[in-house]
Amino acid sequence: MVGWLRRGRTRARGVSRPVRSEAVEATRVELAELAPDPQAYLGQLGYLTIVLFESLGRGATAAPTASGKSRFGRVAAEVLGIHEAVLGELRDLGVDPAEAMEPYRARLDDFQRRTRGDDWHEILMTCYLASGFLLDVYAGLAAGLPTALGERMSALLADDDAEDLLVEELREQLDGNPRLAARLAMWGRRLVGDILLVARSALSIDGRFPPEERVEPVFTELIAAHTRRMDALGLTA
Amino acid sequence: MVGWLRRGRTRARGVSRPVRSEAVEATRVELAELAPDPQAYLGQLGYLTIVLFESLGRGATAAPTASGKSRFGRVAAEVLGIHEAVLGELRDLGVDPAEAMEPYRARLDDFQRRTRGDDWHEILMTCYLASGFLLDVYAGLAAGLPTALGERMSALLADDDAEDLLVEELREQLDGNPRLAARLAMWGRRLVGDILLVARSALSIDGRFPPEERVEPVFTELIAAHTRRMDALGLTA
């Protein structure tokens, strides 16, 4: 999910660095120190990708055109690719994937309920912002995993570009529709609170939250990345 | 989606041939004669796989366990693989995929609405029966396409086994639950009518239905395959 953001930024502001790599680079050291153990990392990411898949399926159902539906399908295929790879890593660790994901189910199901959105535009926005923000977090945390696993996770989370399709779709919808822009800017602001809570919990280990002073700089940068994602749509964060 | 049916049959009745290949073999000649032109074939199959993806997403949302959700995700990944390949074939023909799918949208959306199901068990059943039955039809019709395309489609539709996971899930749920078995047997009977309408429309070209005497033997065999699928769950069709 890198190329599209680069293109987005180029068009929107003439800046050529992708949001993902920019955010991950700026937070790599801080996030590495806050990485949970491999099982917790993989369990959370495994369940998160399920939740994203569900949202994308709902987006496809709500999309009014065949091409819109296909775009959601492409993004879902990528998210499911990450999901399968994560499950494979858990099995290689000798851990049952369902058991590893279970502790994160209630929180992420709740996140999903709170951020469902009332219509296709809001679902689209949720998919775009939540997957962007949260996969940034896991890409950054990968630096704190055991080396080989961390490298595989970095590659897995960096090497895709299907969300470009969501941005394209959003831009097409927003073009010449200031009323929708105002509504989606509001929805984006509402989403960021819920997304931050999930991101925060990704940093905790066994429910113990890390101290604020270590978390603060990470969040500052992640929110900056979120703002750049809104900018890419011409919306105010 | 072959291996699982083979295993299903073996366990259920000691018969070792998969439902898909059995049905496709028996109807190959008849279906080949009823194949629409490549664009119509691909357009329909493209939109059908979107609709199946949407159902699988809904199934994942409704599934009460992480492992159930992951199973839906695996099947969805396979269905989306078919979808992407079909879109690629359309592009190779110089056809815009969205335009090719558009004529089939209303009918398949309607099918989807009628067969949504009220809960997770019914969604699971819809995914199992609709994908099994309808992908049988398209696997059979592939024999009537231009040779190279037909071979690629046959391979694409034969070479996967993720629906095994849906059968496993259904068996786990049905085990020792006669009330659920009765309800799902009824749901299966209700579904087959709607599925047959979609299958019937796959044979038509530009809205002209083929004569009944050519369609009859095909449907007899497809319904027999459907019955074997119900058998595999220990349910009466």
Side-chain angles (χ1 to χ4, degrees), chain A residues 102-133:
Chain A
E102 191 60 32
Y104 312 103
R105 186 153 72 90
R107 183 189 293 135
L108 287 167
D109 282 354
D110 184 54
F111 168 71
Q112 163 124 290
R113 270 187 298 274
R114 294 175 53 84
T115 60
R116 292 181 69 94
D118 279 337
D119 62 14
W120 180 56
H121 295 115
E122 289 185 2
I123 299 173
L124 191 51
M125 198 72 177
T126 298
C127 291
Y128 169 56
L129 293 177
S131 62
F133 197 117

Side-chain angles (χ1 to χ4, degrees), chain A residues 1 5 16 54 91 94 160 169 180 188 192 213-214 216:
Chain A
M1 311 193 179
L5 287 161
S16 67
E54 293 174 17
R91 286 188 206 102
D160 63 315
E169 192 78 48
L180 180 64
V192 77
E213 62 271 21
R214 289 172 63 201
E216 198 54 38

Side-chain angles (χ1 to χ4, degrees), chain B residues 60-90:
Chain B
T61 302
T65 62
S67 65
K69 287 169 185 282
S70 279
R71 286 177 180 179
F72 276 96
R74 288 246 334 252
V75 181
E78 291 206 359
V79 164
L80 288 169
I82 297 174
H83 180 71
E84 273 307 307
V86 165
L87 263 50
E89 295 285 354
L90 282 164

Side-chain angles (χ1 to χ4, degrees), chain A residues 47 50 53-54 56-57 60-61 64 66-67 69-70 72-74 76-77 80 83-84 87 98 101-102 105 109 112, chain B residues 47 50 53-54 56-57 60-61 64-67 69-70 72-74 76-77 80 83-84 87 98 101-102 105 109 112:
Chain A
Y47 203 83
I50 284 181
F53 156 59
E54 293 174 17
L56 291 161
T61 301
S67 65
K69 288 169 185 281
S70 280
F72 276 96
R74 287 244 340 248
L80 288 169
H83 180 70
E84 273 307 306
L87 262 50
M101 292 189 283
E102 191 60 32
R105 186 153 72 90
D109 282 354
Q112 163 124 290
Chain B
Y47 202 82
I50 284 180
F53 156 58
E54 293 174 16
L56 291 161
T61 302
T65 62
S67 65
K69 287 169 185 282
S70 279
F72 276 96
R74 288 246 334 252
L80 288 169
H83 180 71
E84 273 307 307
L87 263 50
M101 292 189 282
E102 191 61 32
R105 186 153 71 90
D109 282 354
Q112 163 124 290

Side-chain angles (χ1 to χ4, degrees), chain A:
Chain A
M1 311 193 179
V2 163
W4 58 290
L5 287 161
R6 176 161 42 232
R7 267 178 277 148
R9 297 277 284 147
T10 306
R11 273 187 250 144
R13 294 190 140 195
V15 180
S16 67
R17 299 182 68 207
V19 171
R20 166 80 35 91
S21 70
E22 208 169 333
V24 170
E25 201 177 298
T27 60
R28 187 179 298 279
V29 176
E30 291 89 343
L31 275 173
E33 289 174 8
L34 298 168
D37 66 88
Q39 179 171 337
Y41 176 94
L42 294 166
Q44 290 172 52
L45 181 55
Y47 203 83
L48 173 66
T49 46
I50 284 181
V51 163
L52 293 175
F53 156 59
E54 293 174 17
S55 295
L56 291 161
R58 234 177 21 251
T61 301
T65 62
S67 65
K69 288 169 185 281
S70 280
R71 285 177 181 179
F72 276 96
R74 287 244 340 248
V75 181
E78 291 207 0
V79 164
L80 288 169
I82 297 174
H83 180 70
E84 273 307 306
V86 166
L87 262 50
E89 294 286 353
L90 282 165
R91 286 188 206 102
D92 289 349
L93 289 176
V95 177
D96 176 63
E99 275 175 37
M101 292 189 283
E102 191 60 32
Y104 312 103
R105 186 153 72 90
R107 183 189 293 135
L108 287 167
D109 282 354
D110 184 54
F111 168 71
Q112 163 124 290
R113 270 187 298 274
R114 294 175 53 84
T115 60
R116 292 181 69 94
D118 279 337
D119 62 14
W120 180 56
H121 295 115
E122 289 185 2
I123 299 173
L124 191 51
M125 198 72 177
T126 298
C127 291
Y128 169 56
L129 293 177
S131 62
F133 197 117
L134 295 172
L135 296 180
D136 269 7
V137 173
Y138 287 98
L141 287 171
L145 296 172
T147 313
L149 174 62
E151 281 168 5
R152 288 195 298 275
M153 288 296 110
S154 290
L156 185 68
L157 293 168
D159 182 28
D160 63 315
D161 60 357
E163 278 194 24
D164 193 3
L165 302 163
L166 298 180
V167 174
E168 271 174 33
E169 192 78 48
L170 275 163
R171 283 218 182 98
E172 284 172 21
Q173 301 296 320
L174 286 164
D175 194 33
N177 192 341
R179 187 174 215 149
L180 180 64
R183 184 156 67 84
L184 290 188
M186 189 117 70
W187 180 243
R189 269 170 240 138
R190 151 92 205 269
L191 284 174
V192 77
D194 286 306
I195 293 172
L196 277 168
L197 280 177
V198 171
R200 189 83 174 60
S201 72
L203 310 183
S204 76
I205 303 167
D206 299 330
R208 282 178 282 109
F209 277 2
E212 285 312 314
E213 62 271 21
R214 289 172 63 201
V215 171
E216 198 54 38
V218 174
F219 274 70
T220 303
E221 179 47 41
L222 290 171
I223 292 168
H226 170 80
T227 303
R228 292 193 292 274
R229 274 190 196 95
M230 296 291 276
D231 281 352
L233 299 175
L235 301 178
T236 310

